[in-house]
Amino acid sequence: MKSHAKVVVIGGGVVGCSVLFHLARHGWTDIVLLERDELTSGSTWHAAGGMHTINGDPNVAKLQKYTISLYKEIEELSGQATGVHLTGGVLLAATEARLDWLRGVVAKGRYLGIELEEISPAEAAELMPLLDPKQFVGAVRNKEDGHLDPSGVTHAYAKAARKLGAEVERFTKVEDIVRRADGLWRVITNKGEVVAEHVVNAGGLWAREVGRMVGLELPVLAMEHMYLITEDMPEVAAWNQKTGTEIIHAVDFDGELYLRQERGGMLMGTYEKANKPWSEFQTPWNFGHELLEPDIDRIAPSLEVGFRHFPAFQNTGIKQIINGPFTFAPDGNPLVGPVRGLPGFWVACGVMAGFSQGGGVGLALSNWMIEGDPGADIWAMDVSRYGDWATMAYTNAKVRENYSRRFSIRFPNEELPAGRPLKTTPVYDLLSDKGAQWGVAYGLEVPLWYAPEGVRDEFSWRRSSDFEHVANEVKTVREGVGLSEISSFAKYKVTGEGAAAWLDRLLACKLPRLGRMTLAPMLKEDGRLIGDFTLANLSSPNSERDGWFLAGSGVAEQYHMRWFEAHLPKDGSVSIEALGAKLTGLSIAGPSARNLLEKVTRSDVSNTAFPFMAISKMDIGMAPCLVGRVSYTGDLGYEIWVAPEYQRAAYQALMAAGEEFGIGLLGSRALNALRLEKNYGSWAREYRPIYGPLEAGLDRFVAYAKEADFIGKQAALAERKQGGRLRLRAFVVVDAVDADVIGDEPIWHGGAVRGWVTSGGYAHHSKKSVAIGYVPKEIADEADGFEIELLGKRHVARMQPVPLFDANFERMRG
């Protein structure tokens, strides 16, 4: 075993071997994979071996499509058979709600290049003869589904990596990982140690244990998962003989089942409601090529549905029940990327669907390590989407919930209850008393809307029970004054003698003068957006103590802190702190917002003294606050930042004084309706690291001419010169009747799919259904010819070049 390496990959399952292969294919050959036993000794060897392209996140779906296309290459390079069978498959709907969901899947496939087709139950039965068409209302055909040999694929990755110069050390158990003073890592094994620049935790079932070696508690948990293999079935033999093909895959979502042919019989797996975690606190190191005791009673309810939906199973015997552990993150997506605070330490774990996602994970992680960027938008897999609130108990609750709902519909207005409430603000109970219906963002409870007594969310793809109540919240803002709780924003404090110079390089905007704010895009080296913030200058002329204040997307706090800390100067001249729960927020907005503020503060908040984008400390009632004149509603408004011990006092002062102005509460759904009327985008929807500032419409906030050579400047200048590829545009969906876009719907133009929706909804004040999305720049200024596909129907979409509300910004600035 070598004593030094550029990269040590820990774990010889399909993910670790994929990472090794991709690094080697990129030209990094001073790399070694360490496996404590034989390759595939964790979850890989007993996997069912299915592969599919469909995923709820379109960017993950792209990586799954890449994974499947990769198998031919690694088979040819390695000489190792992968056992790939591209049989195709059918996705089945037993309810109209599920069929609506499948229509959305078909629509996404149009712009992802995934060939999907809605078919009838009878047509599905012609393709998959074991199903009873009377049990279903519709289906979708996918030609790219299939299955493979898990062991063959894993060894193909490993052999291909070896041919490219990588090394694999089996029966080499990692016992500790220690960071040296020079930043290199000592990977200590039972056969000696390897000093490495990078370490990749692809430990699978042992990812938690590997993480703990460096003080990291990863939010992953293994669950027992069962599938059965039947005896040979005459129906299978007859189909094989008749067609010369295998029986295709089937996913019966409402039955919580997946099926495929296995030799002369069938394989049927389930994600049962009565699920069971495995080895909740510590994974035994001596676990290897072993299976767990089957528990057919636990999956009996799912099997009963399966035997009804697929009657041929009633007449065959069960040859084997496989029960083995697989690891999951709380939301079911992988954990991938660099770990904040541990330079050179990377994770690639929680990859439950390893044979659909393993290739994409290996590609993204190798790109990230070598190029400094994953080369794709992998936010749904980024390990930074979780913070310290994702404790072991939280992870347990959410993984169990996710497992039980793996094939369940997640409606756009549905909030899942497990692990909640966990983080709350000081006014949580006060807002609950007012009927707050809660969602969650980065672990924090956030009010979505306010329901009268006896009214609750009714989950649906269409406008639901909240519709008229959200409309009332919007009306309160547009006609009087509304108050919202905004603690879910991420808040940062930047101090130090080098703070201004550092921010000038980090952010693409012109720095604001004292007491002022500005919108601040942040770019990567390639000129793409990695963040959008509000930046405020709080430094007094004689003191840097108050420094600079940044506010941004709450869900991206860990993501952005990882970026900030990686770019801090080494001389200690700059400090940045994520304030988190140390700072809470309230916001007031509407034409009476200034009148309300004047009643609760002695400060001069007239338009002359406190204009748009001003920021200042002032007391709200008795509570010391930081107040900025800005609002995401697009109306006259103020954001009020206050220490948590004062939030209740500030809230009560505002509510009491606002009674004469008809003050009301609003949640995030009303805020969404309000921002749509202003064509405002948001992080993780309109603004993501695959778009440039010109494409995203943020170029007006980029100070191209400033002296500072900000990160991404040259690439941004090149984008401006060349014009980019896309444009962000807003549309009114003219004939939407009872449903609105939620994101990822295709945008048609001239009879072809040319773009995609990033977000949308109903703008209650303007009484319009609105969609925001990206289209090619060549058609971005066309007035007509657009359609947006929604729930299987194409709707006329009218370009909305100027905001529906206050197009001249008179309300906001007045």
Side-chain angles (χ1 to χ4, degrees):
M1 183 175 71
K2 59 169 60 182
S3 60
H4 290 76
K6 191 172 188 67
V7 183
V8 168
V9 179
I10 301 172
V14 65
V15 174
C17 290
S18 171
V19 171
L20 190 77
F21 164 72
H22 281 90
L23 287 170
R25 191 175 67 171
H26 275 68
W28 279 17
T29 56
D30 182 18
I31 55 178
V32 59
L33 182 147
L34 306 180
E35 164 54 44
R36 67 181 182 93
D37 202 322
E38 273 285 8
L39 299 182
T40 79
S41 291
S43 298
T44 297
W45 75 273
H46 59 73
M51 56 183 184
H52 53 87
T53 54
I54 300 304
N55 188 279
D57 186 289
N59 297 291
V60 176
K62 291 177 186 177
L63 291 177
Q64 292 183 184
K65 181 177 172 67
Y66 163 80
T67 298
I68 293 172
S69 69
L70 180 65
Y71 289 135
K72 182 179 180 181
E73 177 184 340
I74 63 169
E75 186 172 85
E76 291 176 351
L77 180 59
S78 67
Q80 167 71 51
T82 58
V84 169
H85 296 244
L86 280 174
T87 63
V90 285
L91 311 176
L92 300 166
T95 66
E96 290 296 333
R98 174 63 67 184
L99 187 56
D100 279 343
W101 178 80
L102 284 177
R103 286 169 176 152
V105 170
V106 173
K108 287 182 191 178
R110 298 194 203 283
Y111 67 82
L112 292 173
I114 300 173
E115 187 177 349
L116 302 168
E117 178 189 7
E118 183 181 344
I119 58 177
S120 69
E123 290 171 316
E126 292 176 3
L127 296 168
M128 203 287 183
L130 303 186
L131 66 84
D132 177 4
K134 295 190 295 295
Q135 302 294 327
F136 302 98
V137 299
V140 164
R141 173 76 196 276
N142 183 1
K143 296 182 179 179
E144 297 185 57
D145 279 4
H147 61 272
L148 44 71
D149 171 21
S151 178
V153 165
T154 305
H155 284 280
Y157 277 128
K159 288 180 179 180
R162 284 195 193 101
K163 282 192 173 183
L164 294 171
E167 295 183 22
V168 175
E169 294 287 345
R170 298 172 301 146
F171 306 105
T172 306
K173 181 190 171 194
V174 174
E175 297 178 336
D176 202 3
I177 306 170
V178 180
R179 192 175 182 206
R180 302 196 323 185
D182 62 1
L184 298 179
W185 295 94
R186 294 173 57 213
V187 182
I188 301 165
T189 80
N190 61 334
K191 293 182 179 179
E193 70 176 59
V194 186
V195 176
E197 183 179 339
H198 300 277
V199 175
V200 178
N201 177 2
L205 291 175
W206 295 269
R208 288 180 306 182
E209 284 66 34
V210 173
R212 288 167 184 164
M213 293 176 186
V214 296
L216 181 65
E217 189 65 39
L218 288 166
V220 291
L221 176 69
M223 299 292 291
E224 294 191 13
H225 179 68
M226 280 181 278
Y227 61 87
L228 61 85
I229 298 172
T230 73
E231 302 285 356
D232 288 355
M233 298 173 64
E235 295 88 351
V236 172
W239 178 264
N240 295 162
Q241 185 174 4
K242 173 185 174 182
T243 66
T245 63
E246 290 181 84
I247 290 182
I248 65 174
H249 282 226
V251 178
D252 177 5
F253 290 99
D254 301 285
E256 301 166 338
L257 301 164
Y258 59 89
L259 304 91
R260 68 168 176 83
Q261 184 172 336
E262 174 67 15
R263 299 185 184 274
M266 292 293 293
L267 181 152
M268 177 186 284
T270 178
Y271 289 89
E272 70 280 4
K273 299 296 184 188
N275 53 66
K276 184 179 178 181
W278 177 77
S279 192
E280 294 180 67
F281 309 112
Q282 186 81 31
T283 305
W285 285 105
N286 60 356
F287 185 80
H289 282 79
E290 306 160 47
L291 292 173
L292 309 177
E293 191 66 28
D295 184 359
I296 197 167
D297 290 341
R298 203 166 75 237
I299 63 173
S302 295
L303 296 183
E304 290 176 7
V305 176
F307 294 166
R308 186 169 68 251
H309 287 186
F310 304 89
F313 279 79
Q314 299 173 19
N315 305 316
T316 190
I318 297 174
K319 181 163 64 175
Q320 187 179 13
I321 298 177
I322 306 294
N323 185 16
F326 290 89
T327 56
F328 294 77
D331 60 3
N333 278 336
L335 300 175
V336 179
V339 176
R340 177 190 166 199
L342 296 173
F345 190 85
W346 306 75
V347 296
C349 54
V351 189
M352 184 282 305
F355 295 99
S356 296
Q357 298 174 343
V361 168
L363 175 69
L365 195 68
S366 61
N367 283 340
W368 215 335
M369 296 173 72
I370 295 171
E371 305 293 341
D373 186 88
D377 184 352
I378 67 159
W379 168 250
M381 300 194 298
D382 195 318
V383 65
S384 70
R385 70 188 186 274
Y386 291 106
D388 58 8
W389 45 271
T391 61
M392 184 180 289
Y394 170 90
T395 298
N396 189 303
K398 294 305 287 187
V399 167
R400 296 184 70 168
E401 178 184 64
N402 177 270
Y403 184 99
S404 71
R405 293 181 51 88
R406 181 157 180 80
F407 285 160
S408 299
I409 296 174
R410 174 73 182 272
F411 291 101
N413 63 333
E414 184 175 8
E415 297 295 324
L416 304 183
R420 299 176 52 206
L422 178 58
K423 287 169 42 177
T424 59
T425 63
V427 296
Y428 176 81
D429 61 324
L430 300 179
L431 301 184
S432 294
D433 290 344
K434 296 287 189 179
Q437 303 300 296
W438 297 95
V440 66
Y442 200 62
L444 180 69
E445 296 293 315
V446 295
L448 302 172
W449 63 288
Y450 292 84
E453 186 69 30
V455 179
R456 294 291 181 270
D457 260 329
E458 295 174 3
F459 306 139
S460 174
W461 296 110
R462 290 168 169 79
R463 295 170 189 164
S464 189
S465 52
D466 66 335
F467 190 78
E468 64 176 291
H469 306 293
V470 171
N472 289 334
E473 294 174 24
V474 168
K475 183 178 181 181
T476 296
V477 173
R478 291 294 188 234
E479 296 183 0
V481 60
L483 184 147
S484 58
E485 212 282 351
I486 59 170
S487 299
S488 60
F489 281 94
K491 294 84 58 180
Y492 311 91
K493 183 178 181 180
V494 183
T495 56
E497 62 181 14
W502 181 69
L503 287 166
D504 212 17
R505 168 161 168 70
L506 195 75
L507 303 175
C509 63
K510 181 180 179 181
L511 298 190
R513 64 183 186 274
L514 179 64
R516 299 290 295 168
M517 298 182 291
T518 191
L519 295 178
M522 184 166 71
L523 311 181
K524 300 183 297 171
E525 285 84 352
D526 64 0
R528 303 292 179 176
L529 290 163
I530 199 171
D532 71 304
F533 303 91
T534 302
L535 172 66
N537 185 349
L538 306 180
S539 299
S540 68
N542 301 315
S543 172
E544 290 280 346
R545 182 175 61 85
D546 293 323
W548 300 76
F549 176 71
L550 276 172
S553 171
V555 298
E557 180 183 293
Q558 190 90 339
Y559 175 82
H560 285 138
M561 280 299 291
R562 185 177 64 192
W563 180 265
F564 294 149
E565 291 173 349
H567 291 83
L568 283 173
K570 305 258 190 259
D571 61 6
S573 62
V574 181
S575 295
I576 183 166
E577 178 187 6
L579 297 172
K582 294 179 182 178
L583 197 65
T584 58
L586 302 167
S587 176
I588 56 173
S592 298
R594 181 183 292 117
N595 297 332
L596 169 57
L597 190 59
E598 287 174 337
K599 288 195 67 176
V600 294
T601 186
R602 295 180 60 199
S603 300
D604 185 353
V605 293
S606 65
N607 194 40
T608 302
F610 200 61
F612 179 62
M613 298 302 277
I615 189 167
S616 178
K617 291 181 179 180
M618 63 181 72
D619 294 343
I620 303 295
M622 295 185 290
C625 301
L626 176 67
V627 180
R629 189 177 154 191
V630 65
S631 174
Y632 198 45
T633 66
D635 218 313
L636 171 65
Y638 305 85
E639 290 180 352
I640 300 164
W641 303 105
V642 55
E645 60 266 31
Y646 298 117
Q647 191 192 32
R648 289 176 76 94
Y651 167 83
Q652 289 167 334
L654 289 164
M655 291 299 288
E659 285 186 11
E660 70 172 274
F661 306 112
I663 193 169
L665 296 171
L666 69 144
S668 60
R669 291 182 185 169
L671 187 62
N672 184 60
L674 292 161
R675 65 103 184 173
L676 289 172
E677 294 185 318
K678 295 293 292 180
N679 295 357
Y680 287 166
S682 65
W683 178 255
R685 290 185 285 193
E686 285 69 45
Y687 310 142
R688 300 185 73 140
I690 52 175
Y691 307 123
L694 176 62
E695 293 178 325
L698 294 181
D699 54 311
R700 64 189 185 278
F701 304 113
V702 175
Y704 294 98
K706 74 175 182 177
E707 291 185 15
D709 188 19
F710 60 86
I711 296 172
K713 182 176 183 178
Q714 296 309 311
L717 285 167
E719 182 204 30
R720 185 171 67 162
K721 181 178 179 181
Q722 296 162 6
R725 188 172 61 89
L726 303 168
R727 291 293 185 273
L728 184 64
R729 291 292 185 261
F731 301 87
V732 170
V733 186
V734 175
D735 53 348
V737 176
D738 64 347
D740 306 290
V741 301
I742 58 174
D744 298 330
E745 295 86 356
I747 300 174
W748 293 73
H749 188 269
V753 173
R754 301 298 306 276
W756 55 91
V757 173
T758 49
S759 69
Y762 194 78
H764 290 273
H765 178 70
S766 301
K767 295 181 171 51
K768 306 289 185 185
S769 186
V770 176
I772 299 178
Y774 282 92
V775 296
K777 67 178 180 183
E778 292 79 14
I779 61 171
D781 297 317
E782 296 281 336
D784 302 308
F786 289 100
E787 296 174 300
I788 291 177
E789 185 172 349
L790 174 60
L791 297 177
K793 179 185 176 184
R794 284 154 62 176
H795 297 259
V796 173
R798 186 183 71 240
M799 183 81 74
Q800 187 63 39
V802 298
L804 289 165
F805 173 77
D806 191 28
N808 296 321
F809 298 92
E810 294 171 357
R811 284 270 285 264
M812 189 168 62
R813 297 176 182 273

